[in-house]
Amino acid sequence: MKIKNYINGSFQEHDSSEWLDNYDPSIGEVYGQIPNSNQKDVEKAYAFAKAAFPSWSNTTLDHRSRILLKIADLIEANLDRLATAESRDNGKPLWLAKAVDIPRASANFRFFAQAITQFSSEAHETIGTNTMNFTLREPIGVVGCISPWNLPLYLFTWKVAPAIAAGNCVVAKPSEVTPATAYLLGEILTEVGLPAGVLNIVHGEGARVGQAIVAHPNIKAISFTGGTATGAHIARTAAPMFKKLSLELGGKNPNIIFADCDYGKMLKESIRSSFANQGQICLCGSRIYVERSIYKQFKTHFVDIVSKNKVGNPMDADTKFGALVSKSHLEKVLSYVEHARDNEGYTILYGGNQLKVTGSENGYYMQPTIIEVTDNKCRLNQEEIFGPVVTLMPFDTEEEVVSLANDVQYGLASTVWTKDIDKAMRVSKKLEAGIVWINTFLNRDLRTPFGGMKASGVGREGGLEALRFFTEPKNVCIKYN
Ligand code: NDP
């Protein structure tokens, strides 16, 4: 697969003659090339986006909505092709890409196609003074969208769909590690007749292409999802230019299990919240706190079930966990386990090792890993690992577990298991997290605000929040006689 930039409605050669290798993580081999684009490619994409803006921002909402719906339909119609490409590029099980990633990418377009027709603004009458204010919500212009590798098309479309629905034109960059489905999206955009220049996709390295988008003086807003360190760098670059920023960053999410929970349901969902997508979801619960009275029982059952899940080639139907996204990421995740074992003396209850999968020996596979820790300040409990590694720790009281849960720099998501609604409410209010799931995990209604607090980000995506982000409010104040 030789990937090309999608600029001004067609696939185009990039400026330099440099290419980057694209790896299939399930076999550890190069299977394609990606343009190593540069600042000139971003400038070219920007120029076409700017040219498309006056016309696109003046299309009727109905027109925009219909185009977005067609994109959603075509993503759905291409489910098998897109899911196969996603799975190959990322290492995630094919069934998961088919059940979650690609349907959600379609849902993103469908949701914002509908949301834009319901988007309204406020009016404020200053009673007794013959004054009326109303707020215009206008598209910003050319905006930048930068997405990570863990949920490639899912997160890419979560940004570009509201951006174009609101009337903006976009210069977007998917992760260089997983560019395939964003590339294929270009074909769909052409087929549905999205006007040229409205959505431009430039491939390449974060430090080059991403940086050029963030540093571009006329790209007025940046919607970014990725690591906290990258987010901080983006904030430093963009702040002096007063760009609008939406930063969805890392997490170190607690999974809090009280003894009075629905045990069977909790156990099943805790496997998913720990290891779905090989633990490479920003929302995964990587710190599991269990009330002491059921700690031993949970430990035995959890290890037993995890040990029976198959790690294997993503294309095999019975594979539960696939490959990690890259060799360097696998090495990073393994280094955390090594540190916990060798330097901190922690007990690895299960896993901890790289795996050789028969027939795919060079793939980046790792056992799901469960480590028992005693100190919440350890690296495993403080740093985002973003892989199939969870820690277990017992607790005694509600106050104690809330304080353990909040004792990290991150504040993205949390999961709480209890049948006691009073306790659930009390804990939800005290948790420092943008999202609290009670007796469920990754249960998403696209209308809800999505994002984190503390080092997990700034701003919220989702629903009308996203449309607000991608528009500039202007108050018009009228004094009448
Ligand atoms: P990175 O921060 O490394 O990269 C994210 C994106 O930013 C990629 O497209 C990357 O390009 C690009 N990028 C890298 N450097 C720059 C730069 N200087 N300027 C502009 N763009 C840049 O994150 P990962 O891709 O490794 O993704 C994993 C991280 O994403 C985890 O921390 C995870 O928690 C977080 N995440 C957060 C979510 C949330 O909603 N809060 C959801 C999903 C993931 P390239 O890949 O080419 O380097």
Side-chain angles (χ1 to χ4, degrees):
M1 183 184 255
K2 201 150 193 174
I3 281 171
K4 285 190 174 174
N5 291 336
Y6 184 79
I7 297 178
N8 197 31
S10 65
F11 291 109
Q12 305 214 354
E13 300 298 334
H14 57 295
D15 173 68
S16 77
S17 54
E18 296 165 33
W19 294 87
L20 302 164
D21 286 335
N22 193 15
Y23 281 80
D24 175 341
S26 73
I27 50 171
E29 284 175 17
V30 174
Y31 83 103
Q33 256 77 45
I34 313 158
N36 191 2
S37 307
N38 60 30
Q39 196 260 339
K40 286 187 188 158
D41 299 297
V42 170
E43 190 55 49
K44 181 171 156 190
Y46 166 75
F48 284 113
K50 183 179 175 220
F53 179 69
S55 163
W56 180 248
S57 57
N58 277 302
T59 49
T60 63
L61 297 185
D62 182 58
H63 180 73
R64 273 183 235 159
S65 175
R66 282 168 193 265
I67 290 188
L68 266 71
L69 286 173
K70 279 192 207 159
I71 299 174
D73 288 346
L74 271 193
I75 291 176
E76 233 168 69
N78 282 281
L79 174 70
D80 286 347
R81 183 169 177 236
L82 288 167
T84 306
E86 200 72 296
S87 171
R88 186 164 194 204
D89 219 18
N90 173 278
K92 67 178 68 210
L94 178 60
W95 62 261
L96 184 65
K98 268 191 190 170
V100 177
D101 292 73
I102 307 307
R104 173 59 191 276
S106 168
N108 289 339
F109 276 104
R110 197 174 303 287
F111 176 82
F112 285 107
Q114 292 159 345
I116 194 62
T117 66
Q118 306 301 313
F119 190 45
S120 58
S121 61
E122 313 80 31
H124 301 91
E125 183 178 7
T126 319
I127 303 209
T129 68
N130 287 356
T131 306
M132 177 58 102
N133 295 271
F134 64 90
T135 310
L136 280 176
R137 284 225 160 241
E138 297 166 318
I140 295 169
V142 179
V143 300
C145 296
I146 301 173
S147 56
W149 49 257
N150 65 323
L151 301 165
L153 194 63
Y154 175 134
L155 289 175
F156 186 77
T157 55
W158 182 233
K159 296 180 178 305
V160 299
I164 64 175
N168 301 283
C169 293
V170 178
V171 179
K173 191 198 99 64
S175 170
E176 106 209 25
V177 185
T178 53
T181 46
Y183 166 64
L184 296 175
L185 181 67
E187 290 178 9
I188 291 177
L189 301 179
T190 301
E191 198 174 333
V192 303
L194 181 74
V198 171
L199 175 51
N200 305 278
I201 304 168
V202 185
H203 296 272
E205 294 168 336
R208 224 156 115 159
V209 174
Q211 179 69 22
I213 294 173
V214 174
H216 196 291
N218 297 318
I219 295 181
K220 302 280 186 208
I222 303 291
S223 175
F224 169 82
T225 297
T228 293
T230 319
H233 174 79
I234 287 175
R236 277 193 297 273
T237 309
M241 288 179 271
F242 308 108
K243 292 192 186 204
K244 233 177 158 180
L245 281 182
S246 169
L247 302 174
E248 300 298 335
L249 310 177
K252 189 74 205 175
N253 312 308
N255 176 6
I256 300 172
I257 300 167
F258 287 101
D260 60 4
C261 67
D262 178 334
Y263 188 81
K265 195 170 140 199
M266 172 281 294
L267 195 57
K268 191 162 164 256
E269 282 296 282
S270 290
I271 305 287
R272 197 166 77 91
S273 67
S274 302
F275 300 116
N277 206 36
Q278 296 70 250
Q280 302 167 134
I281 303 181
C282 54
L283 307 163
C284 277
S286 53
R287 294 180 288 145
I288 308 182
Y289 299 106
V290 188
E291 193 163 355
R292 197 175 301 276
S293 59
I294 59 163
Y295 184 74
K296 267 194 181 159
Q297 175 192 353
F298 175 83
K299 192 160 86 170
T300 309
H301 289 156
F302 190 63
V303 168
D304 182 51
I305 298 175
V306 169
S307 67
K308 289 181 181 139
N309 283 304
K310 179 183 158 184
V311 178
N313 189 292
M315 299 296 162
D316 294 345
D318 61 344
T319 285
K320 181 85 175 175
F321 308 125
L324 271 67
V325 76
S326 66
K327 187 163 185 277
S328 59
H329 190 57
L330 171 67
E331 284 164 358
K332 181 192 140 187
V333 176
L334 286 169
S335 77
Y336 273 98
V337 179
E338 212 175 282
H339 184 269
R341 187 178 41 216
D342 301 345
N343 299 31
E344 294 175 309
Y346 281 139
T347 309
I348 296 169
L349 299 174
Y350 183 76
N353 301 307
Q354 186 174 353
L355 261 184
K356 293 268 174 234
V357 166
T358 312
S360 311
E361 283 78 4
N362 294 325
Y364 313 134
Y365 299 94
M366 179 177 171
Q367 291 175 300
T369 299
I370 308 165
I371 304 179
E372 190 167 40
V373 299
T374 50
D375 181 0
N376 206 43
K377 291 288 185 202
C378 68
R379 274 185 70 193
L380 286 180
N381 267 29
Q382 293 292 322
E383 296 179 22
E384 184 184 45
I385 302 173
F386 213 58
V389 179
V390 296
T391 63
L392 299 191
M393 209 172 163
F395 69 87
D396 293 297
T397 67
E398 196 178 308
E399 291 69 28
E400 180 195 1
V401 77
V402 167
S403 125
L404 290 169
N406 289 340
D407 181 27
V408 290
Q409 64 161 329
Y410 299 102
L412 185 54
S414 50
T415 306
V416 181
W417 293 94
T418 175
K419 281 188 192 158
D420 180 341
I421 187 70
D422 298 325
K423 192 192 288 175
M425 262 323 289
R426 282 195 304 271
V427 172
S428 303
K429 281 178 75 74
K430 287 185 203 147
L431 284 172
E432 295 165 0
I435 300 155
V436 180
W437 279 299
I438 309 288
N439 300 327
T440 184
F441 166 70
L442 232 178
N443 191 334
R444 296 277 294 117
D445 180 324
L446 301 189
R447 293 169 302 178
T448 59
F450 178 89
M453 43 176 84
K454 296 162 52 178
S456 291
V458 178
R460 294 292 183 273
E461 297 184 326
L464 301 182
E465 298 281 343
L467 294 177
R468 288 193 195 103
F469 175 75
F470 283 116
T471 51
E472 195 71 76
K474 181 190 287 170
N475 188 65
V476 179
C477 176
I478 306 170
K479 174 86 175 161
Y480 60 94
N481 292 318

